[in-house]
Amino acid sequence: MSKIRYKKIKRILDIVVSLLLLTILSPVFLIVALCILLEDRKEIFVLEPKRLKGENLEEFRMYKFRTMIPNAHNEILNNPKYKKYKEKWLGNDGKLKINEDPRITNVGKFLRRTDLDELPQLINVLKGDMSIVGPRPMYIAEIEKLNEEERLKLKDVFTVKPGITSLWAVSGRNNIIFKDRIILESEYAKNVSFFLDLKILLKTPYIVITRKGAYE
């Protein structure tokens, strides 16, 4: 099957699956939204930072339920209150464990440990920003620190839509450093097929349930 035909069929499947799941999971969306609002009466979805897609590295807003204080990304970079956490955060691909990150809310801890914060990405799939399966979306800050050789691999990654689940997610997730993640995502992009997508989808529930590779 040609890549053009693959992308067309995959887009149709993405629309059908995302619409179906959004309908079925709408009560869950409502409950989670209410819990977030009741905790601090702030925005329901994460606003920043934006992610990248496409060969032109177009920025888009990836929907996730907010698990941290508002503007958490800028807070850890610029607020002296989080100075002692900043160095470890920067040195660890922008990650801190749930119990060591004071920016994470009480509701957010539960959402992260269940991956429920990821559900709103179905909206991105319906809009066409993302697919159910594809390379995980990246930040500008993540690719700015790559060398020229590593950036060349990204050219393949950005030829396909980013996904909710990915080869990286089912191969070790946060146990894989960012540079190795690019290699994995590049291999996926160069070898896209419905068989590979199905293989990733079948592995995803096990990864979610067992929390394998989750940075907790």
Side-chain angles (χ1 to χ4, degrees):
M1 182 184 295
S2 70
K3 285 193 175 183
I4 293 175
R5 190 178 180 191
Y6 162 82
K7 287 182 178 181
K8 287 181 178 179
I9 296 175
K10 187 173 182 179
R11 178 61 189 146
I12 294 171
L13 291 173
D14 279 339
I15 292 172
V16 172
V17 173
S18 59
L19 268 175
L20 180 63
L21 289 177
L22 283 168
T23 302
I24 294 171
L25 296 171
S26 57
V28 177
F29 274 68
L30 180 60
I31 292 169
V32 172
L34 286 173
C35 288
I36 294 171
L37 284 173
L38 287 172
E39 181 165 18
D40 60 14
R41 302 191 184 281
K42 304 294 183 181
E43 60 265 16
I44 295 169
F45 298 115
V46 178
L47 298 180
E48 296 290 346
K50 292 184 177 180
R51 311 290 179 119
L52 300 170
K53 67 174 182 177
E55 295 175 337
N56 295 322
L57 301 188
E58 177 187 351
E59 286 188 288
F60 74 101
R61 179 182 173 189
M62 188 181 83
Y63 290 98
K64 290 184 70 173
F65 283 124
R66 181 173 58 84
T67 60
M68 292 185 170
I69 59 171
N71 206 29
H73 188 75
N74 287 327
E75 285 290 306
I76 199 168
L77 287 174
N78 303 308
N79 192 335
K81 176 181 177 181
Y82 301 107
K83 184 178 179 180
K84 67 177 182 179
Y85 303 99
K86 180 179 177 180
E87 185 176 345
K88 185 173 184 179
W89 180 82
L90 289 172
N92 197 38
D93 287 338
K95 295 188 291 289
L96 290 171
K97 291 187 177 181
I98 293 175
N99 289 330
E100 66 183 4
D101 195 334
R103 300 171 301 156
I104 301 178
T105 64
N106 291 323
V107 172
K109 290 177 182 178
F110 172 76
L111 295 178
R112 288 200 173 195
R113 289 190 172 113
T114 55
D115 279 338
L116 287 173
D117 59 317
E118 307 283 354
L119 287 181
Q121 288 162 51
L122 289 167
I123 300 171
N124 290 112
V125 175
L126 187 60
K127 288 175 61 180
D129 294 326
M130 295 176 62
S131 181
I132 299 294
V133 181
R136 281 300 290 164
M138 300 177 186
Y139 307 111
I140 291 177
E142 286 179 318
I143 66 174
E144 283 179 342
K145 58 187 177 183
L146 299 175
N147 61 39
E148 188 174 345
E149 182 181 350
E150 291 160 345
R151 289 191 184 215
L152 284 173
K153 291 185 175 66
L154 281 177
K155 288 186 177 182
D156 293 316
V157 176
F158 286 111
T159 60
V160 296
K161 286 184 181 179
I164 295 178
T165 187
S166 67
L167 183 58
W168 166 76
V170 300
S171 300
R173 208 161 25 168
N174 290 304
N175 291 332
I176 300 171
I177 62 173
F178 187 67
K179 292 179 180 181
D180 290 338
R181 168 185 162 187
I182 292 171
I183 295 172
L184 272 177
E185 304 286 40
S186 176
E187 286 302 310
Y188 168 83
K190 287 187 290 187
N191 298 284
V192 288
S193 69
F194 285 116
F195 176 77
L196 181 55
D197 287 345
L198 180 60
K199 185 177 178 181
I200 292 169
L201 280 172
L202 291 176
K203 287 184 176 182
T204 298
Y206 172 77
I207 296 300
V208 173
I209 293 170
T210 62
R211 311 298 298 148
K212 186 177 180 181
Y215 195 72
E216 300 178 337

